[in-house]
């Protein structure tokens, strides 16, 4: 690289709030994927028609977590939209697991009451994910600032704020 080429900086990624938000989003995505995996594997024998969707959610959430860890801001609205849909499904499916605790239903690998509790736990995790993803989107991680190597100390120029 030539000495006179500009250096691209992302000033909004250096802020502590942005770093914390990014780590929170990654954590919530991975926790969500783990909770979905518990419900999927624990109820595999009695799930009807939702197996592919649940496996797709696990894969998507892990992929989105990887992209967010690399500061990809564009997947945050997608993560929030997926979380909205999953929260709706989980809120509807949770009570159904509790109804399976009665006699006459096929038994799942994990107790149906436990699966119902885990399913209902997905709902608040998704609400937190929606809030964190939208906060991360507002932080404008994508803002780039060009700096010449001879401009002096890093960050000495005013940083443009994205609205």
């Amino acid at each position: 690289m030539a000495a006179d080429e500009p250096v691209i900086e992302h000033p909004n990624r250096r802020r502590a709030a942005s770093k914390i938000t990014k780590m929170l989003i990654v954590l919530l995505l991975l926790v969500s994927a783990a909770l979905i995996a518990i419900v999927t594997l624990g109820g595999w024998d009695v799930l009807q028609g939702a197996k592919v969707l649940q496996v797709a959610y696990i894969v998507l959430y892990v992929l989105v977590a990887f992209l967010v860890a690399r500061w990809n801001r564009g997947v945050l609205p997608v993560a929030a939209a997926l979380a909205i849909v999953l929260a709706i499904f989980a809120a509807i499916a949770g009570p159904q697991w509790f109804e399976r605790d009665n006699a006459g239903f096929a038994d799942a690998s994990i107790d149906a009451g436990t699966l119902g509790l885990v399913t209902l736990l997905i709902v608040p995790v998704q609400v937190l994910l929606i809030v964190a993803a939208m906060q991360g989107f507002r932080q404008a991680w994508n803002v780039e600032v060009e700096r010449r190597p001879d401009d002096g100390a890093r960050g000495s120029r005013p940083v443009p704020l994205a609205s």
Side-chain angles (χ1 to χ4, degrees):
M1 185 159 118
D4 61 342
E5 286 193 30
V7 176
I8 304 293
E9 292 182 352
H10 297 90
N12 294 339
R13 294 180 186 179
R14 289 194 308 252
R15 297 185 323 197
S18 295
K19 292 177 184 178
I20 291 170
T21 302
K22 178 185 86 161
M23 291 312 298
L24 179 64
I25 293 168
V26 169
L27 177 69
L28 288 170
L29 285 164
L30 294 177
V31 165
S32 296
L35 291 173
I36 297 167
I38 290 169
V39 172
T40 302
L41 296 175
W44 188 263
D45 297 331
V46 295
L47 290 174
Q48 297 178 358
K51 295 175 186 177
V52 174
L53 182 65
Q54 288 177 299
V55 171
Y57 255 95
I58 294 167
V59 171
L60 280 172
Y61 271 19
V62 170
L63 176 65
V64 170
F66 173 75
L67 292 172
V68 169
R70 295 185 61 200
W71 291 104
N72 188 330
R73 176 181 177 244
V75 296
L76 294 176
V78 174
L82 288 171
I84 291 169
V85 173
L86 184 60
I88 293 169
F89 284 148
I92 293 170
Q96 302 304 317
W97 281 112
F98 291 117
E99 289 181 11
R100 292 193 66 84
D101 250 350
N102 298 328
F105 288 101
D107 291 330
S109 301
I110 298 176
D111 179 51
T114 305
L115 289 174
L117 181 64
V118 173
T119 303
L120 289 178
L121 186 60
I122 290 173
V123 176
V125 173
Q126 298 312 296
V127 171
L128 289 173
L129 177 59
I130 294 164
V131 172
M134 291 299 90
Q135 179 62 30
F137 192 76
R138 288 184 56 229
Q139 291 174 344
W141 299 345
N142 61 326
V143 171
E144 295 179 346
V145 175
E146 275 189 20
R147 180 179 64 80
R148 299 274 178 205
D150 58 348
D151 281 349
R154 184 175 165 177
S156 60
R157 292 183 7 193
V159 177
L161 297 176
S163 55

